[in-house]
Amino acid sequence: MEPTVDRGAAQPLGAKYYFGEFQLDTIEWVLRQSGWILPLAPKVVQALELLVRNAGRVVSRTEMVESLWPDSFVEESNLTVTISMLRRALGDNEHETRFIETIPKRGYRFVPPVRTSRGGRAGTVNFSSMQIIRLTHDGHVLDVGISPDARLLAYVPIEAGKYSLWIWDLDSGEKWELLPSNPALCWGLRFSHDQDSLFYITTQPNSTISILHRIPVAGGQPQQLVVNVDAAIALSRDSRRIAFV
């Protein structure tokens, strides 16, 4: 899913940003630390891209909310939670600020120098036979997850500042709701390898504590698994073991 952030100033398509031991890759939309991919929610990566692209400049909270959630009404607490997750991933804490500086009553500033390079892969890919189908039309989707066979799409629509969780069978067109509308953020969607279960993370408004859950894809009672997780999980091949931060 292509991020919906406002790109602002012109940048090379598929730019890579280097700072410290980190590399932000906007070709794959991942953050690497010393070569290892960090499991981050899409909005966290998009927030980092916005700050890194404007390194040295104060990006206001209003600008960030409007860029990350265009045409949607969300509370500023969503941004606070997103920045908190990003800071933890980068190793910032209340005693040491290496990367993201809070400017009181204004916004945030990315502190270290950033080196930018071009991706260099665009000219080697043939897109002539590729067909792109738009699945949503209003942009009011917080997060998505695709099943291993690319048949099922899990997504979190935003409506009046609340979030629900749905499954969409892309073959049949059938949709069904797993979780009703709720003020808590719902993100980090990950299907089990057998596609029978969906893992997801919830974060209550004005809280930095996130909880990992599992729910049957066909519908049913969710199961709480882990309290206080900071990023989307990784699963073993048999989905019996979970790696989380």
Side-chain angles (χ1 to χ4, degrees):
M1 180 177 181
E2 183 176 344
T4 55
V5 295
D6 179 11
R7 300 293 179 222
Q11 290 291 330
L13 179 63
K16 293 182 180 180
Y17 302 91
Y18 302 85
F19 48 93
E21 68 272 28
F22 295 95
Q23 178 201 83
L24 175 61
D25 185 341
T26 62
I27 297 173
E28 301 179 10
W29 285 95
V30 296
L31 176 66
R32 292 182 173 87
Q33 182 179 22
S34 301
W36 294 93
I37 295 178
L38 301 182
L40 298 176
K43 276 290 183 284
V44 176
V45 178
Q46 293 171 24
L48 176 60
E49 189 273 344
L50 180 59
L51 289 171
V52 168
R53 176 162 44 86
N54 292 279
R57 179 177 77 84
V58 178
V59 184
S60 71
R61 293 179 63 87
T62 298
E63 180 181 349
M64 293 198 70
V65 169
E66 291 177 351
S67 296
L68 296 173
W69 292 277
D71 304 318
S72 301
F73 174 77
V74 296
E75 299 290 341
E76 282 202 358
S77 59
N78 293 347
L79 177 60
T80 301
V81 170
T82 299
I83 294 297
S84 176
M85 293 176 179
L86 179 54
R87 280 179 163 148
R88 291 189 185 188
L90 295 174
D92 274 2
N93 55 58
E94 59 182 4
H95 304 296
E96 181 183 16
T97 299
R98 295 174 55 203
F99 297 100
I100 301 174
E101 178 185 10
T102 298
I103 309 301
K105 298 182 179 181
R106 294 181 61 192
Y108 303 97
R109 177 167 54 203
F110 198 76
V111 177
V114 176
R115 181 170 61 87
T116 306
S117 71
R118 199 176 171 84
R121 297 197 311 183
T124 65
V125 181
N126 182 7
F127 294 101
S128 60
S129 61
M130 179 180 290
Q131 181 181 11
I132 298 176
I133 301 174
R134 186 170 185 173
L135 298 178
T136 63
H137 298 277
D138 56 13
H140 298 175
V141 175
L142 176 68
D143 200 3
V144 299
I146 192 74
S147 63
D149 65 0
R151 181 177 63 86
L152 300 177
L153 180 75
Y155 65 103
V156 180
I158 307 171
E159 185 174 358
K162 294 185 177 181
Y163 311 88
S164 54
L165 178 58
W166 289 73
I167 299 292
W168 184 354
D169 188 322
L170 298 176
D171 287 346
S172 68
E174 181 185 3
K175 300 178 183 180
W176 60 93
E177 186 181 62
L178 293 184
L179 296 175
S181 184
N182 190 285
L185 291 173
C186 182
W187 56 279
L189 310 183
R190 181 66 56 86
F191 281 90
S192 61
H193 292 290
D194 61 12
Q195 304 180 164
D196 289 338
S197 300
L198 180 71
F199 296 84
Y200 65 95
I201 299 170
T202 59
T203 309
Q204 294 294 332
N206 301 312
S207 173
T208 58
I209 304 298
S210 299
I211 302 174
L212 174 66
H213 308 262
R214 178 174 58 194
I215 190 170
V217 169
Q221 187 66 27
Q223 176 187 9
Q224 180 175 307
L225 299 178
V226 181
V227 176
N228 200 14
V229 296
D230 291 331
I233 64 167
L235 291 172
S236 62
R237 288 185 178 273
D238 60 7
S239 299
R240 297 178 61 185
R241 289 172 292 176
I242 303 172
F244 63 93
V245 179

